[in-house]
Amino acid sequence: MTKRLPPAKDWQARNIDDWNTTTFHAYLSDKHAEMFGCDYVPFRGWTAEKGMIGNLIGTRTKPRTASNEDVKRFIDETFAEYRPSAQYPGTSFGFMFTYRKNVWQRIQLDAKLEAKRKEQAQAKAEKQAVDFEKLADWL
């Protein structure tokens, strides 16, 4: 029997690896209300924002170009940096992704560097294991 996922809008109950565009929008809405105290309004409409998020996390027809963790980190960092004003009391994913590319680029670089560090650590561990085997054979 396969384990069913919680509803897509229930971002708290879902593992971040199982998030989809609907889950991200539920997260955006909840986080926006918590941080800014007003309703979330998408940039250029819900469909446009779902397309932006889908281009990053992948869909049935689009390949993944970023991890869900990186997209969530982008949302968290840009929301934390945003300073509301009387004219713009809130923000949106589309606005941030369009005008805060520097944050996205830094997150991408951090993710690539972290992956490279893990790869190097794994290669080092494998090399040490081989060296111990050679040493054991020699003894």
Side-chain angles (χ1 to χ4, degrees):
M1 186 171 164
T2 60
K3 186 177 177 184
R4 290 182 49 95
L5 291 173
K9 290 185 177 184
D10 191 3
W11 61 270
Q12 294 102 333
R14 276 190 171 212
N15 183 315
I16 191 156
D17 294 329
D18 297 325
W19 284 22
N20 58 29
T21 58
T22 302
T23 314
F24 272 104
H25 266 135
Y27 178 73
L28 283 162
S29 294
D30 290 351
K31 194 76 167 168
H32 194 274
E34 172 189 320
M35 293 182 74
F36 306 119
C38 58
D39 290 341
Y40 181 78
V41 179
F43 184 74
R44 296 190 194 141
W46 293 103
T47 306
E49 273 202 2
K50 282 186 183 285
M52 289 176 162
I53 295 169
N55 285 336
L56 295 171
I57 66 169
T59 62
R60 289 184 196 150
T61 58
K62 298 176 188 175
R64 174 181 293 276
T65 60
S67 72
N68 288 2
E69 292 86 2
D70 290 346
V71 175
K72 183 180 180 292
R73 181 176 164 200
F74 174 76
I75 292 166
D76 292 341
E77 287 187 24
T78 54
F79 271 35
E81 292 173 0
Y82 183 74
R83 298 293 167 242
S85 66
Q87 188 176 6
Y88 301 107
T91 188
S92 66
F93 179 84
F95 178 85
M96 292 299 194
F97 194 70
T98 301
Y99 297 106
R100 296 302 311 274
K101 289 284 190 186
N102 61 321
V103 176
W104 179 246
Q105 290 169 334
R106 185 176 37 78
I107 289 170
Q108 282 182 308
L109 182 60
D110 289 350
K112 286 179 182 176
L113 291 174
E114 182 62 28
K116 189 174 183 179
R117 276 193 289 272
K118 285 181 182 178
E119 187 178 297
Q120 288 173 342
Q122 184 179 2
K124 185 177 179 182
E126 289 172 2
K127 186 179 185 299
Q128 286 178 342
V130 170
D131 290 345
F132 287 131
E133 288 174 14
K134 286 180 183 177
L135 182 62
D137 290 343
W138 183 74
L139 292 175

